[in-house]
Amino acid sequence: MDSNVRNNKQTQAKKLIEKYFFQITVGCGNADCQNKCCLSSGNLEKSLTPNQAAVKAIQLYVEEANLCENLKDTEEIQKKNSSSSEDIEMEVTSSKKTNAESDSMKKIEPSHSSLNKKSNDNLSPSSPTKELAYIDEAKLSEMIEICEETKNYAPIIRSLGSVFSDKDSVLKSFQQKPKSSVDVILDRVQQVSAIKTMKKEDIRTLEDDEKDQDLMDCEENKDVKIPSYSTIDFESLRRSFRRLYEKNSKVFEALDNAIQSLATLIQIDMRIMRENEQFEEVLCCIVILFEIFQIGSSMLEQSIFRTLAAITALPTWAQAKLAHIWSSQCKEGLRPILLILQQIITLQVIANTYHRDFHVNDNEIVSNATKVMKIVFCANLLVSEMIELPKYLPEQSKGSGNEESMLEEEDEDDFSSILYQVDSSKNKQTFEDPLMKELSISVHDCNEPFIPYEEFQNEPLCDVIETDEDYMRYRNLVFNDNNSMPFSSNKKFSFVVYSFVLTPSAKTLALFFDSRVKMYSERRTMLLNMAYLGTINNPYLKLKIRRDFIIDDALAELEMVALSNPKDLKKQIFIEFDGEQGIDEGGVSKEFFQLIVEEIFNPDYGMFTTNEDTQTCWFNSFSFENEAQFTLIGIVLGLAIYNSIILPLNFPMVVYKKLMDVRNSWHDLKDWNPILYNSLKAILDYTEPDMEEVFSQTFEIGYENVFGAPIKQCLKSDGEKIPVNQKNKQEFVELYADFVLNQSIEKQFKAFKKGFQMVTDESPLKLLFRPEEIELLVCGSKNFDFDELEKSTEYEGGYTAETEIIKHFWSVVHGLSLENKRKLLQFTTGSNRVPVGGLSKLKLVIARHGPDCDRLPTSHTCFNILLLPEYSSREKIEERLLKAINYSKGFGML
């Protein structure tokens, strides 16, 4: 109730001050006025500036001076004055006026409200339309009302065409109305709790300030600049065009031609622009246009295309500025803009036929829309929740472990350094996005995006991309263009550098091509070395392994390769089990990685520990194995990715973040050790002053080693003497998390990451994938949708989807438990994991393997082929299949 009373008093005070203001600036209109505080009495000077008059009005209010009884309502006076100024600005043109024209200007009615069908010549379809200098909500609303009455929208079409075909007119349109001097002063007065208590000294100070402001205003008015995007009245703009679209959407079709012309002129002008201010004006136009596009995009298709082309021609710094504008001024409009761009891309994909001579990369509309989507993507990152950076860690600990990989220099006598410099570690290059560099942001620093990343992906586009062609364009872009991205060039446009638009399965395919190109390059290098140097090398990374000593043999051979010639790790892996016949076409390699991971990550081996709550693996800081062993484990992980093999790993997400050089924080404990995370969170959430007594915690922590012996660790100097309290609890949490996630395993993880980078250092892994996608790439999907597998399965040997035994087979499969479904995948493909993109990517083949018999089903895991005899009944299929998948280790798989 008190606040309502206070607000009412302030409102009444404002109205009275406004009346005093108009009394001393306009007067009551009575020639015989005797009020000394009224302009009509002749006792007040007429040269008062608006600011001075406003201060005088406040003084009169404080003194409770007389108000003339016949003083007109202030709102009517304001409306009249405002309308008069708008009419004059609307009527005056830039051309020279004759005396007759000047006289006619004086006869113009002072208010827009007086316009009607007869007097509104400039809006009449039968008379030429006057060119407007700008347009705003009031003018557009009035034109809509008049056109509604006449049922003729031609005047609006001509007016909008005139404004939106000229950059300067667009810039002046829908600008926020600057507050008058009296409004500014009244806003300041409203902040005073009791206006009546203002002293004369306060009023004098206010008056002096306003005099200084008058001088500044005079100086600024000497050179009035066109308003910037920060003064655009977005709400007014949206309301106006939304109303126009509801009244008559066909107006937007005519508006399309005007915006096309404007966008073309802007694109031409940008070729000769040199000053930043000129680009600022362009950005302001683009922001206004995209607000209109959101309302009538279906009617403005061609103008959108032209505007996209203009945006892609902007310099990088201007594109970065546009991202800032959209993120700060148009946050809620990001999703509608993204939707417009997605619709454009999808329609272009559907409406065109692409082939080897015309790739989707060559479609300029698609490439421009993708480039502008990159700006929206960056704007999305700017408004997203970013990773909380630690404040109290030492400078060397604030990173995520950006250890440089110490790779061996290549042999100078190797012909690969001469003929294939693209694959040489000396000439190794990585792509650095110029827009994100300009904005100083990274997708890896984002904790929770404002718009989910999935909304930026376009599946129809990914279906028509020729991945091999797109990847080769990426290679030319990176290795031949000195690491620069030609934003305005479509000749080398590659979707790889715009990976946000690609689905995980499309990214995986691009990575597959990258690894295969490198493998084939190594083979060619080997042949050239044989021809010119006489050296004989194996074109494959061949490992001969004994099953009973799989860890010792694998690590020993990989260590020899890493020490002698690390480049051999880029070759295609080829596994041979000692004493077993068979050629590795992929299936044997899958089995090898499956077995070695089971051994290495077994807690009994001592290199990793397992959290009982989350069942995730973590580095054992007390492992007896040396750092070289962890390097070799990193090589194994890198080889699995390089050879497109899915592993049964269960690392917490923070491991993949550290591999991708993403900063970690105490929040990353939640995924690995939720008990510790909740304990630290409880400390941060506690706000009572008795924290020291309740928690009894110092900066010394305790934990156990592998033998169960207690160990003490001080997080800072003399930590055992420093209690955790309200002032230092954040520091304690950050130091604790840093010790657990980084310092305690620094040697082990550094060696692990070094081995991983020895294989993946030249791949576009960081460019394509985020940490959560790396986990998907390594471990596969968790979606066991066997309906997808059934739809994608092919049949051979006389089987079809309608064959009776095939129907029985899928009936049995769909009834299996999840564990048995995993075993079926292991039996048929060599891996119990789902590839990126789902089971439809497996391309399972079921082939007839003879008539009804008692033989068990067999498989070729290298080719995902299941050999299935034509059993006589569903019961027999179920019995034979279950026996095969449950006793298949080392048996039944070729």
Side-chain angles (χ1 to χ4, degrees), residues 301-302 304-306 308-309 312 341 343-345 347-348 352 354 358 360-372 490 493:
E301 188 178 72
Q302 294 301 319
I304 294 176
F305 295 164
R306 298 282 182 89
L308 295 180
T312 58
L341 298 174
Q343 289 175 342
I344 290 173
I345 294 175
L347 289 174
Q348 287 296 313
N352 293 279
Y354 300 99
F358 179 61
V360 68
N361 307 62
D362 301 321
N363 188 323
E364 186 177 359
I365 296 174
V366 172
S367 61
N368 287 341
T370 306
K371 292 172 183 177
V372 175
N490 294 317
F493 179 83

PDB file of all heavy atoms in Angstrom, residues 301-302 304-306 308-309 312 341 343-345 347-348 352 354 358 360-372 490 493:
ATOM      1  N   GLU A 301      11.590 -14.155 -49.885  1.00  0.00           N
ATOM      2  CA  GLU A 301      12.632 -15.157 -50.140  1.00  0.00           C
ATOM      3  C   GLU A 301      13.810 -14.587 -50.917  1.00  0.00           C
ATOM      4  O   GLU A 301      14.972 -14.741 -50.520  1.00  0.00           O
ATOM      5  CB  GLU A 301      12.022 -16.342 -50.894  1.00  0.00           C
ATOM      6  CG  GLU A 301      12.973 -17.511 -51.048  1.00  0.00           C
ATOM      7  CD  GLU A 301      12.312 -18.677 -51.763  1.00  0.00           C
ATOM      8  OE1 GLU A 301      12.087 -18.552 -52.993  1.00  0.00           O
ATOM      9  OE2 GLU A 301      12.022 -19.691 -51.112  1.00  0.00           O
ATOM     10  N   GLN A 302      13.532 -13.899 -52.011  1.00  0.00           N
ATOM     11  CA  GLN A 302      14.612 -13.390 -52.847  1.00  0.00           C
ATOM     12  C   GLN A 302      15.417 -12.301 -52.135  1.00  0.00           C
ATOM     13  O   GLN A 302      16.641 -12.234 -52.271  1.00  0.00           O
ATOM     14  CB  GLN A 302      14.042 -12.841 -54.163  1.00  0.00           C
ATOM     15  CG  GLN A 302      13.422 -13.906 -55.048  1.00  0.00           C
ATOM     16  CD  GLN A 302      14.419 -14.989 -55.434  1.00  0.00           C
ATOM     17  OE1 GLN A 302      15.585 -14.694 -55.732  1.00  0.00           O
ATOM     18  NE2 GLN A 302      13.976 -16.235 -55.434  1.00  0.00           N
ATOM     19  N   ILE A 304      15.899 -12.123 -48.966  1.00  0.00           N
ATOM     20  CA  ILE A 304      16.726 -12.817 -47.968  1.00  0.00           C
ATOM     21  C   ILE A 304      17.990 -13.347 -48.628  1.00  0.00           C
ATOM     22  O   ILE A 304      19.097 -13.229 -48.081  1.00  0.00           O
ATOM     23  CB  ILE A 304      15.937 -13.961 -47.300  1.00  0.00           C
ATOM     24  CG1 ILE A 304      14.774 -13.401 -46.480  1.00  0.00           C
ATOM     25  CG2 ILE A 304      16.846 -14.783 -46.390  1.00  0.00           C
ATOM     26  CD1 ILE A 304      13.884 -14.465 -45.857  1.00  0.00           C
ATOM     27  N   PHE A 305      17.844 -13.932 -49.818  1.00  0.00           N
ATOM     28  CA  PHE A 305      19.021 -14.445 -50.536  1.00  0.00           C
ATOM     29  C   PHE A 305      20.042 -13.332 -50.776  1.00  0.00           C
ATOM     30  O   PHE A 305      21.255 -13.520 -50.567  1.00  0.00           O
ATOM     31  CB  PHE A 305      18.606 -15.051 -51.879  1.00  0.00           C
ATOM     32  CG  PHE A 305      17.729 -16.279 -51.753  1.00  0.00           C
ATOM     33  CD1 PHE A 305      17.005 -16.747 -52.848  1.00  0.00           C
ATOM     34  CD2 PHE A 305      17.631 -16.962 -50.559  1.00  0.00           C
ATOM     35  CE1 PHE A 305      16.204 -17.864 -52.745  1.00  0.00           C
ATOM     36  CE2 PHE A 305      16.828 -18.097 -50.447  1.00  0.00           C
ATOM     37  CZ  PHE A 305      16.105 -18.543 -51.541  1.00  0.00           C
ATOM     38  N   ARG A 306      19.557 -12.169 -51.228  1.00  0.00           N
ATOM     39  CA  ARG A 306      20.465 -11.049 -51.510  1.00  0.00           C
ATOM     40  C   ARG A 306      21.125 -10.548 -50.220  1.00  0.00           C
ATOM     41  O   ARG A 306      22.306 -10.195 -50.211  1.00  0.00           O
ATOM     42  CB  ARG A 306      19.694  -9.905 -52.161  1.00  0.00           C
ATOM     43  CG  ARG A 306      19.074 -10.242 -53.500  1.00  0.00           C
ATOM     44  CD  ARG A 306      20.091 -10.224 -54.624  1.00  0.00           C
ATOM     45  NE  ARG A 306      19.469 -10.509 -55.900  1.00  0.00           N
ATOM     46  CZ  ARG A 306      18.937  -9.598 -56.706  1.00  0.00           C
ATOM     47  NH1 ARG A 306      18.953  -8.321 -56.348  1.00  0.00           N
ATOM     48  NH2 ARG A 306      18.396  -9.946 -57.864  1.00  0.00           N
ATOM     49  N   LEU A 308      21.729 -12.293 -47.499  1.00  0.00           N
ATOM     50  CA  LEU A 308      22.727 -13.283 -47.065  1.00  0.00           C
ATOM     51  C   LEU A 308      24.038 -13.093 -47.820  1.00  0.00           C
ATOM     52  O   LEU A 308      25.129 -13.184 -47.238  1.00  0.00           O
ATOM     53  CB  LEU A 308      22.189 -14.698 -47.284  1.00  0.00           C
ATOM     54  CG  LEU A 308      20.971 -15.124 -46.460  1.00  0.00           C
ATOM     55  CD1 LEU A 308      20.576 -16.554 -46.805  1.00  0.00           C
ATOM     56  CD2 LEU A 308      21.233 -15.000 -44.972  1.00  0.00           C
ATOM     57  N   ALA A 309      23.933 -12.824 -49.123  1.00  0.00           N
ATOM     58  CA  ALA A 309      25.139 -12.594 -49.917  1.00  0.00           C
ATOM     59  C   ALA A 309      25.884 -11.356 -49.427  1.00  0.00           C
ATOM     60  O   ALA A 309      27.123 -11.335 -49.392  1.00  0.00           O
ATOM     61  CB  ALA A 309      24.769 -12.445 -51.396  1.00  0.00           C
ATOM     62  N   THR A 312      27.788 -12.197 -46.122  1.00  0.00           N
ATOM     63  CA  THR A 312      29.002 -12.999 -46.309  1.00  0.00           C
ATOM     64  C   THR A 312      30.143 -12.176 -46.874  1.00  0.00           C
ATOM     65  O   THR A 312      31.309 -12.571 -46.768  1.00  0.00           O
ATOM     66  CB  THR A 312      28.722 -14.181 -47.252  1.00  0.00           C
ATOM     67  OG1 THR A 312      28.239 -13.702 -48.512  1.00  0.00           O
ATOM     68  CG2 THR A 312      27.695 -15.124 -46.651  1.00  0.00           C
ATOM     69  N   LEU A 341      17.084 -19.743 -41.744  1.00  0.00           N
ATOM     70  CA  LEU A 341      18.249 -20.270 -42.453  1.00  0.00           C
ATOM     71  C   LEU A 341      18.132 -21.768 -42.688  1.00  0.00           C
ATOM     72  O   LEU A 341      18.490 -22.272 -43.770  1.00  0.00           O
ATOM     73  CB  LEU A 341      19.518 -19.962 -41.652  1.00  0.00           C
ATOM     74  CG  LEU A 341      19.824 -18.467 -41.443  1.00  0.00           C
ATOM     75  CD1 LEU A 341      21.016 -18.297 -40.512  1.00  0.00           C
ATOM     76  CD2 LEU A 341      20.095 -17.781 -42.775  1.00  0.00           C
ATOM     77  N   GLN A 343      15.352 -23.461 -43.014  1.00  0.00           N
ATOM     78  CA  GLN A 343      14.339 -23.664 -44.056  1.00  0.00           C
ATOM     79  C   GLN A 343      14.918 -23.389 -45.439  1.00  0.00           C
ATOM     80  O   GLN A 343      14.623 -24.118 -46.403  1.00  0.00           O
ATOM     81  CB  GLN A 343      13.137 -22.752 -43.789  1.00  0.00           C
ATOM     82  CG  GLN A 343      12.301 -23.167 -42.593  1.00  0.00           C
ATOM     83  CD  GLN A 343      11.196 -22.184 -42.284  1.00  0.00           C
ATOM     84  OE1 GLN A 343      11.222 -21.034 -42.727  1.00  0.00           O
ATOM     85  NE2 GLN A 343      10.219 -22.610 -41.496  1.00  0.00           N
ATOM     86  N   ILE A 344      15.737 -22.356 -45.545  1.00  0.00           N
ATOM     87  CA  ILE A 344      16.361 -22.040 -46.830  1.00  0.00           C
ATOM     88  C   ILE A 344      17.230 -23.199 -47.290  1.00  0.00           C
ATOM     89  O   ILE A 344      17.160 -23.645 -48.454  1.00  0.00           O
ATOM     90  CB  ILE A 344      17.191 -20.748 -46.711  1.00  0.00           C
ATOM     91  CG1 ILE A 344      16.278 -19.534 -46.552  1.00  0.00           C
ATOM     92  CG2 ILE A 344      18.097 -20.573 -47.929  1.00  0.00           C
ATOM     93  CD1 ILE A 344      17.019 -18.249 -46.266  1.00  0.00           C
ATOM     94  N   ILE A 345      18.068 -23.710 -46.405  1.00  0.00           N
ATOM     95  CA  ILE A 345      18.966 -24.808 -46.767  1.00  0.00           C
ATOM     96  C   ILE A 345      18.173 -26.050 -47.157  1.00  0.00           C
ATOM     97  O   ILE A 345      18.445 -26.687 -48.181  1.00  0.00           O
ATOM     98  CB  ILE A 345      19.926 -25.121 -45.602  1.00  0.00           C
ATOM     99  CG1 ILE A 345      20.875 -23.942 -45.367  1.00  0.00           C
ATOM    100  CG2 ILE A 345      20.725 -26.390 -45.877  1.00  0.00           C
ATOM    101  CD1 ILE A 345      21.772 -24.103 -44.159  1.00  0.00           C
ATOM    102  N   LEU A 347      15.037 -26.358 -48.213  1.00  0.00           N
ATOM    103  CA  LEU A 347      14.307 -26.178 -49.474  1.00  0.00           C
ATOM    104  C   LEU A 347      15.246 -26.248 -50.672  1.00  0.00           C
ATOM    105  O   LEU A 347      14.894 -26.809 -51.720  1.00  0.00           O
ATOM    106  CB  LEU A 347      13.558 -24.848 -49.462  1.00  0.00           C
ATOM    107  CG  LEU A 347      12.343 -24.765 -48.528  1.00  0.00           C
ATOM    108  CD1 LEU A 347      11.778 -23.359 -48.507  1.00  0.00           C
ATOM    109  CD2 LEU A 347      11.265 -25.758 -48.971  1.00  0.00           C
ATOM    110  N   GLN A 348      16.450 -25.683 -50.529  1.00  0.00           N
ATOM    111  CA  GLN A 348      17.418 -25.750 -51.620  1.00  0.00           C
ATOM    112  C   GLN A 348      17.902 -27.184 -51.845  1.00  0.00           C
ATOM    113  O   GLN A 348      18.182 -27.579 -52.973  1.00  0.00           O
ATOM    114  CB  GLN A 348      18.615 -24.850 -51.305  1.00  0.00           C
ATOM    115  CG  GLN A 348      18.326 -23.368 -51.420  1.00  0.00           C
ATOM    116  CD  GLN A 348      17.970 -22.949 -52.836  1.00  0.00           C
ATOM    117  OE1 GLN A 348      18.647 -23.315 -53.793  1.00  0.00           O
ATOM    118  NE2 GLN A 348      16.893 -22.196 -52.977  1.00  0.00           N
ATOM    119  N   ASN A 352      16.632 -29.054 -55.605  1.00  0.00           N
ATOM    120  CA  ASN A 352      17.677 -29.220 -56.612  1.00  0.00           C
ATOM    121  C   ASN A 352      18.181 -30.660 -56.651  1.00  0.00           C
ATOM    122  O   ASN A 352      18.076 -31.397 -55.670  1.00  0.00           O
ATOM    123  CB  ASN A 352      18.859 -28.275 -56.321  1.00  0.00           C
ATOM    124  CG  ASN A 352      18.494 -26.821 -56.502  1.00  0.00           C
ATOM    125  OD1 ASN A 352      18.467 -26.296 -57.603  1.00  0.00           O
ATOM    126  ND2 ASN A 352      18.210 -26.154 -55.384  1.00  0.00           N
ATOM    127  N   TYR A 354      21.533 -32.859 -57.162  1.00  0.00           N
ATOM    128  CA  TYR A 354      22.983 -32.717 -57.073  1.00  0.00           C
ATOM    129  C   TYR A 354      23.663 -33.969 -57.635  1.00  0.00           C
ATOM    130  O   TYR A 354      23.175 -35.090 -57.465  1.00  0.00           O
ATOM    131  CB  TYR A 354      23.393 -32.483 -55.621  1.00  0.00           C
ATOM    132  CG  TYR A 354      22.775 -31.234 -55.044  1.00  0.00           C
ATOM    133  CD1 TYR A 354      21.633 -31.302 -54.230  1.00  0.00           C
ATOM    134  CD2 TYR A 354      23.298 -29.976 -55.326  1.00  0.00           C
ATOM    135  CE1 TYR A 354      21.044 -30.161 -53.717  1.00  0.00           C
ATOM    136  CE2 TYR A 354      22.711 -28.818 -54.820  1.00  0.00           C
ATOM    137  CZ  TYR A 354      21.588 -28.924 -54.021  1.00  0.00           C
ATOM    138  OH  TYR A 354      21.014 -27.783 -53.533  1.00  0.00           O
ATOM    139  N   PHE A 358      27.743 -30.991 -60.041  1.00  0.00           N
ATOM    140  CA  PHE A 358      27.101 -29.893 -59.305  1.00  0.00           C
ATOM    141  C   PHE A 358      26.841 -30.365 -57.879  1.00  0.00           C
ATOM    142  O   PHE A 358      25.839 -31.012 -57.592  1.00  0.00           O
ATOM    143  CB  PHE A 358      25.799 -29.468 -59.979  1.00  0.00           C
ATOM    144  CG  PHE A 358      25.080 -28.360 -59.246  1.00  0.00           C
ATOM    145  CD1 PHE A 358      25.681 -27.116 -59.058  1.00  0.00           C
ATOM    146  CD2 PHE A 358      23.808 -28.565 -58.729  1.00  0.00           C
ATOM    147  CE1 PHE A 358      25.017 -26.103 -58.379  1.00  0.00           C
ATOM    148  CE2 PHE A 358      23.147 -27.553 -58.054  1.00  0.00           C
ATOM    149  CZ  PHE A 358      23.755 -26.319 -57.880  1.00  0.00           C
ATOM    150  N   VAL A 360      26.360 -29.845 -53.698  1.00  0.00           N
ATOM    151  CA  VAL A 360      25.627 -28.910 -52.845  1.00  0.00           C
ATOM    152  C   VAL A 360      26.553 -27.802 -52.363  1.00  0.00           C
ATOM    153  O   VAL A 360      26.108 -26.693 -52.066  1.00  0.00           O
ATOM    154  CB  VAL A 360      24.979 -29.671 -51.662  1.00  0.00           C
ATOM    155  CG1 VAL A 360      26.033 -30.197 -50.696  1.00  0.00           C
ATOM    156  CG2 VAL A 360      23.985 -28.783 -50.932  1.00  0.00           C
ATOM    157  N   ASN A 361      27.854 -28.068 -52.313  1.00  0.00           N
ATOM    158  CA  ASN A 361      28.826 -27.028 -51.956  1.00  0.00           C
ATOM    159  C   ASN A 361      28.819 -25.882 -52.958  1.00  0.00           C
ATOM    160  O   ASN A 361      29.180 -24.749 -52.615  1.00  0.00           O
ATOM    161  CB  ASN A 361      30.242 -27.610 -51.890  1.00  0.00           C
ATOM    162  CG  ASN A 361      30.341 -28.813 -50.984  1.00  0.00           C
ATOM    163  OD1 ASN A 361      29.708 -29.825 -51.237  1.00  0.00           O
ATOM    164  ND2 ASN A 361      31.129 -28.710 -49.929  1.00  0.00           N
ATOM    165  N   ASP A 362      28.445 -26.180 -54.222  1.00  0.00           N
ATOM    166  CA  ASP A 362      28.454 -25.168 -55.275  1.00  0.00           C
ATOM    167  C   ASP A 362      27.192 -24.312 -55.283  1.00  0.00           C
ATOM    168  O   ASP A 362      27.121 -23.343 -56.039  1.00  0.00           O
ATOM    169  CB  ASP A 362      28.611 -25.845 -56.642  1.00  0.00           C
ATOM    170  CG  ASP A 362      29.891 -26.650 -56.721  1.00  0.00           C
ATOM    171  OD1 ASP A 362      30.915 -26.184 -56.193  1.00  0.00           O
ATOM    172  OD2 ASP A 362      29.865 -27.760 -57.298  1.00  0.00           O
ATOM    173  N   ASN A 363      26.213 -24.674 -54.472  1.00  0.00           N
ATOM    174  CA  ASN A 363      24.980 -23.892 -54.384  1.00  0.00           C
ATOM    175  C   ASN A 363      25.260 -22.659 -53.523  1.00  0.00           C
ATOM    176  O   ASN A 363      25.441 -22.754 -52.309  1.00  0.00           O
ATOM    177  CB  ASN A 363      23.863 -24.740 -53.780  1.00  0.00           C
ATOM    178  CG  ASN A 363      22.512 -24.045 -53.846  1.00  0.00           C
ATOM    179  OD1 ASN A 363      22.411 -22.831 -53.688  1.00  0.00           O
ATOM    180  ND2 ASN A 363      21.471 -24.822 -54.084  1.00  0.00           N
ATOM    181  N   GLU A 364      25.305 -21.511 -54.154  1.00  0.00           N
ATOM    182  CA  GLU A 364      25.679 -20.281 -53.454  1.00  0.00           C
ATOM    183  C   GLU A 364      24.697 -19.932 -52.344  1.00  0.00           C
ATOM    184  O   GLU A 364      25.091 -19.417 -51.294  1.00  0.00           O
ATOM    185  CB  GLU A 364      25.758 -19.119 -54.455  1.00  0.00           C
ATOM    186  CG  GLU A 364      26.270 -17.826 -53.849  1.00  0.00           C
ATOM    187  CD  GLU A 364      26.416 -16.724 -54.872  1.00  0.00           C
ATOM    188  OE1 GLU A 364      26.127 -16.987 -56.062  1.00  0.00           O
ATOM    189  OE2 GLU A 364      26.809 -15.617 -54.486  1.00  0.00           O
ATOM    190  N   ILE A 365      23.421 -20.221 -52.551  1.00  0.00           N
ATOM    191  CA  ILE A 365      22.424 -19.906 -51.524  1.00  0.00           C
ATOM    192  C   ILE A 365      22.672 -20.746 -50.277  1.00  0.00           C
ATOM    193  O   ILE A 365      22.624 -20.250 -49.147  1.00  0.00           O
ATOM    194  CB  ILE A 365      21.003 -20.145 -52.070  1.00  0.00           C
ATOM    195  CG1 ILE A 365      20.725 -19.189 -53.234  1.00  0.00           C
ATOM    196  CG2 ILE A 365      19.962 -19.974 -50.979  1.00  0.00           C
ATOM    197  CD1 ILE A 365      19.394 -19.437 -53.935  1.00  0.00           C
ATOM    198  N   VAL A 366      22.964 -22.036 -50.478  1.00  0.00           N
ATOM    199  CA  VAL A 366      23.230 -22.931 -49.345  1.00  0.00           C
ATOM    200  C   VAL A 366      24.500 -22.500 -48.610  1.00  0.00           C
ATOM    201  O   VAL A 366      24.535 -22.443 -47.371  1.00  0.00           O
ATOM    202  CB  VAL A 366      23.345 -24.388 -49.818  1.00  0.00           C
ATOM    203  CG1 VAL A 366      23.806 -25.297 -48.677  1.00  0.00           C
ATOM    204  CG2 VAL A 366      22.015 -24.870 -50.367  1.00  0.00           C
ATOM    205  N   SER A 367      25.546 -22.197 -49.355  1.00  0.00           N
ATOM    206  CA  SER A 367      26.807 -21.813 -48.716  1.00  0.00           C
ATOM    207  C   SER A 367      26.664 -20.490 -47.967  1.00  0.00           C
ATOM    208  O   SER A 367      27.181 -20.335 -46.856  1.00  0.00           O
ATOM    209  CB  SER A 367      27.925 -21.722 -49.761  1.00  0.00           C
ATOM    210  OG  SER A 367      27.637 -20.740 -50.741  1.00  0.00           O
ATOM    211  N   ASN A 368      25.932 -19.522 -48.560  1.00  0.00           N
ATOM    212  CA  ASN A 368      25.730 -18.244 -47.876  1.00  0.00           C
ATOM    213  C   ASN A 368      24.908 -18.415 -46.605  1.00  0.00           C
ATOM    214  O   ASN A 368      25.202 -17.806 -45.569  1.00  0.00           O
ATOM    215  CB  ASN A 368      25.044 -17.245 -48.804  1.00  0.00           C
ATOM    216  CG  ASN A 368      25.969 -16.722 -49.887  1.00  0.00           C
ATOM    217  OD1 ASN A 368      27.184 -16.801 -49.777  1.00  0.00           O
ATOM    218  ND2 ASN A 368      25.398 -16.204 -50.956  1.00  0.00           N
ATOM    219  N   ALA A 369      23.861 -19.234 -46.688  1.00  0.00           N
ATOM    220  CA  ALA A 369      23.033 -19.479 -45.503  1.00  0.00           C
ATOM    221  C   ALA A 369      23.844 -20.159 -44.404  1.00  0.00           C
ATOM    222  O   ALA A 369      23.677 -19.853 -43.219  1.00  0.00           O
ATOM    223  CB  ALA A 369      21.823 -20.332 -45.878  1.00  0.00           C
ATOM    224  N   THR A 370      24.733 -21.061 -44.782  1.00  0.00           N
ATOM    225  CA  THR A 370      25.574 -21.744 -43.795  1.00  0.00           C
ATOM    226  C   THR A 370      26.554 -20.777 -43.147  1.00  0.00           C
ATOM    227  O   THR A 370      26.807 -20.833 -41.941  1.00  0.00           O
ATOM    228  CB  THR A 370      26.339 -22.897 -44.463  1.00  0.00           C
ATOM    229  OG1 THR A 370      25.412 -23.768 -45.130  1.00  0.00           O
ATOM    230  CG2 THR A 370      27.114 -23.700 -43.426  1.00  0.00           C
ATOM    231  N   LYS A 371      27.107 -19.875 -43.950  1.00  0.00           N
ATOM    232  CA  LYS A 371      28.051 -18.891 -43.405  1.00  0.00           C
ATOM    233  C   LYS A 371      27.359 -17.938 -42.437  1.00  0.00           C
ATOM    234  O   LYS A 371      27.932 -17.585 -41.392  1.00  0.00           O
ATOM    235  CB  LYS A 371      28.695 -18.102 -44.551  1.00  0.00           C
ATOM    236  CG  LYS A 371      29.622 -18.930 -45.423  1.00  0.00           C
ATOM    237  CD  LYS A 371      30.076 -18.142 -46.647  1.00  0.00           C
ATOM    238  CE  LYS A 371      30.944 -18.984 -47.566  1.00  0.00           C
ATOM    239  NZ  LYS A 371      31.343 -18.262 -48.786  1.00  0.00           N
ATOM    240  N   VAL A 372      26.152 -17.516 -42.772  1.00  0.00           N
ATOM    241  CA  VAL A 372      25.413 -16.640 -41.863  1.00  0.00           C
ATOM    242  C   VAL A 372      24.988 -17.422 -40.623  1.00  0.00           C
ATOM    243  O   VAL A 372      24.957 -16.874 -39.513  1.00  0.00           O
ATOM    244  CB  VAL A 372      24.186 -16.027 -42.577  1.00  0.00           C
ATOM    245  CG1 VAL A 372      23.348 -15.208 -41.602  1.00  0.00           C
ATOM    246  CG2 VAL A 372      24.638 -15.162 -43.745  1.00  0.00           C
ATOM    247  N   ASN A 490      33.032 -19.356 -52.969  1.00  0.00           N
ATOM    248  CA  ASN A 490      32.313 -20.620 -52.925  1.00  0.00           C
ATOM    249  C   ASN A 490      33.076 -21.746 -53.607  1.00  0.00           C
ATOM    250  O   ASN A 490      32.682 -22.890 -53.560  1.00  0.00           O
ATOM    251  CB  ASN A 490      30.940 -20.466 -53.605  1.00  0.00           C
ATOM    252  CG  ASN A 490      30.039 -19.532 -52.833  1.00  0.00           C
ATOM    253  OD1 ASN A 490      29.980 -19.600 -51.618  1.00  0.00           O
ATOM    254  ND2 ASN A 490      29.360 -18.650 -53.532  1.00  0.00           N
ATOM    255  N   PHE A 493      34.372 -23.946 -50.836  1.00  0.00           N
ATOM    256  CA  PHE A 493      33.526 -24.034 -49.651  1.00  0.00           C
ATOM    257  C   PHE A 493      33.453 -25.473 -49.177  1.00  0.00           C
ATOM    258  O   PHE A 493      33.195 -26.395 -49.948  1.00  0.00           O
ATOM    259  CB  PHE A 493      32.128 -23.514 -49.968  1.00  0.00           C
ATOM    260  CG  PHE A 493      31.191 -23.587 -48.796  1.00  0.00           C
ATOM    261  CD1 PHE A 493      31.194 -22.596 -47.833  1.00  0.00           C
ATOM    262  CD2 PHE A 493      30.335 -24.654 -48.658  1.00  0.00           C
ATOM    263  CE1 PHE A 493      30.340 -22.663 -46.754  1.00  0.00           C
ATOM    264  CE2 PHE A 493      29.470 -24.732 -47.582  1.00  0.00           C
ATOM    265  CZ  PHE A 493      29.473 -23.732 -46.626  1.00  0.00           C
TER     266      PHE A 493
END
